[in-house]
Coordinates of all heavy atoms in Angstrom, one line a residue:
H6 N 1.6 13.6 4.1 CA 2.2 15.0 4.2 C 2.3 15.6 2.8 O 3.2 15.2 2.1 CB 3.4 15.0 5.0 CG 3.9 16.4 5.3 ND1 4.7 16.6 6.5 CD2 3.8 17.6 4.8 CE1 5.0 17.9 6.6 NE2 4.5 18.5 5.6
S7 N 1.6 16.6 2.4 CA 1.7 17.2 1.0 C 1.0 18.6 1.0 O 0.2 19.0 1.8 CB 1.0 16.2 0.1 OG -0.4 16.3 0.1
H8 N 1.5 19.4 0.0 CA 1.0 20.7 -0.2 C 0.6 21.0 -1.5 O 0.9 20.5 -2.5 CB 2.2 21.7 0.1 CG 2.7 21.5 1.6 ND1 2.2 22.3 2.6 CD2 3.7 20.8 2.2 CE1 2.7 21.9 3.8 NE2 3.6 21.0 3.5
D13 N 2.0 26.7 0.1 CA 3.2 26.9 -0.8 C 3.5 25.7 -1.8 O 4.6 25.6 -2.2 CB 4.4 27.2 0.0 CG 4.7 26.1 1.1 OD1 4.0 25.1 1.2 OD2 5.7 26.2 1.8
T36 N -1.9 18.4 3.5 CA -1.6 19.1 4.8 C -1.0 20.5 4.5 O 0.2 20.6 4.8 CB -0.7 18.2 5.5 OG1 0.5 18.0 4.7 CG2 -1.2 16.8 6.0
H38 N -0.1 24.4 4.9 CA 0.3 25.2 6.1 C -0.8 26.2 6.5 O -1.3 27.1 5.8 CB 1.5 26.2 5.8 CG 2.8 25.5 5.3 ND1 3.6 24.9 6.2 CD2 3.3 25.3 4.0 CE1 4.5 24.4 5.6 NE2 4.5 24.6 4.3
E65 N -1.1 21.5 8.3 CA 0.2 21.6 8.9 C 0.2 22.8 9.8 O 0.2 23.9 9.1 CB 1.3 21.6 8.0 CG 2.7 21.5 8.7 CD 3.9 21.2 7.7 OE1 3.7 21.3 6.5 OE2 5.0 21.1 8.1
H76 N 6.4 22.2 13.4 CA 5.3 22.0 12.6 C 4.5 20.8 13.1 O 5.1 19.6 13.3 CB 5.6 21.8 11.1 CG 6.0 23.1 10.5 ND1 6.5 23.3 9.3 CD2 6.0 24.4 11.0 CE1 6.8 24.5 9.0 NE2 6.5 25.3 10.0
V78 N 1.5 18.2 12.3 CA 0.5 17.9 11.2 C -0.7 17.3 11.9 O -0.6 16.6 12.8 CB 1.1 16.7 10.2 CG1 0.0 16.1 9.5 CG2 2.1 17.5 9.2
A190 N 5.8 16.9 12.8 CA 6.3 16.7 11.3 C 7.8 16.8 11.3 O 8.5 17.5 12.2 CB 5.8 18.0 10.6
H191 N 8.5 16.2 10.4 CA 9.8 16.2 10.1 C 10.8 16.6 11.3 O 11.5 17.6 11.2 CB 10.3 17.0 8.9 CG 9.5 18.4 8.8 ND1 9.7 19.4 9.8 CD2 8.5 18.8 8.0 CE1 8.8 20.4 9.5 NE2 8.2 20.2 8.4
D248 N 6.1 15.3 2.2 CA 6.1 16.8 2.3 C 6.2 17.4 0.9 O 7.0 18.3 0.6 CB 7.3 17.2 3.2 CG 7.1 18.7 3.7 OD1 6.0 19.2 3.5 OD2 8.0 19.1 4.5
F249 N 5.6 16.7 0.0 CA 5.6 17.2 -1.5 C 5.2 18.5 -1.6 O 4.1 19.0 -1.2 CB 4.7 16.2 -2.3 CG 4.6 16.5 -3.7 CD1 5.5 15.8 -4.6 CD2 3.6 17.3 -4.3 CE1 5.5 15.9 -5.9 CE2 3.6 17.6 -5.7 CZ 4.6 16.9 -6.5
H250 N 5.9 19.3 -2.3 CA 5.7 20.7 -2.7 C 5.5 20.9 -4.2 O 4.8 21.8 -4.6 CB 6.6 21.7 -2.2 CG 6.5 22.0 -0.7 ND1 6.9 21.2 0.2 CD2 6.1 23.1 0.0 CE1 6.7 21.8 1.4 NE2 6.2 22.9 1.3
Ligands
MN4 MN1 5.2 20.5 5.0

Side-chain angles (χ1 to χ4, degrees):
H6 190 151
S7 70
H8 296 275
D13 59 358
T36 57
H38 296 284
E65 184 170 11
H76 290 174
V78 162
H191 43 63
D248 202 359
F249 183 90
H250 282 74

